[in-house]
Amino acid sequence: MKRLFVLCLVVLVGILLISASVSMPGKKMQDAQYLQKIKKAGPETSAQVKRAPDFGKIPLYFIPNK
């Protein structure tokens, strides 16, 4: 039982080390480009956000679970 625990622990640590050392080369560039797009767009104000005219007009009904 102790041997199995140690083996599982070693395998888990190995997987964690491998996954930490492997990095996606284009990932950081994509993140930087995405952040630049967000900064350029800026947050919307409540004056810019429009509510859909049909919002809240969906009929409500109940389907019993049989």
Side-chain angles (χ1 to χ4, degrees), residues 2-60:
K2 186 176 178 182
R3 200 181 261 180
L4 179 63
F5 177 74
V6 171
L7 177 66
C8 289
L9 188 62
V10 169
V11 169
L12 181 63
V13 169
I15 291 171
L16 288 174
L17 288 174
I18 291 170
S19 66
S21 66
V22 175
S23 65
M24 299 166 77
K27 180 79 169 119
K28 291 182 182 178
M29 184 58 125
Q30 290 173 353
D31 290 345
Q33 291 172 350
Y34 179 71
L35 290 174
Q36 288 175 353
K37 287 180 184 178
I38 290 175
K39 289 178 184 176
K40 287 180 184 176
E44 293 182 349
T45 64
S46 60
Q48 294 172 329
V49 177
K50 303 286 187 228
R51 185 176 68 123
D54 294 335
F55 183 77
K57 296 182 180 178
I58 300 172
L60 298 176

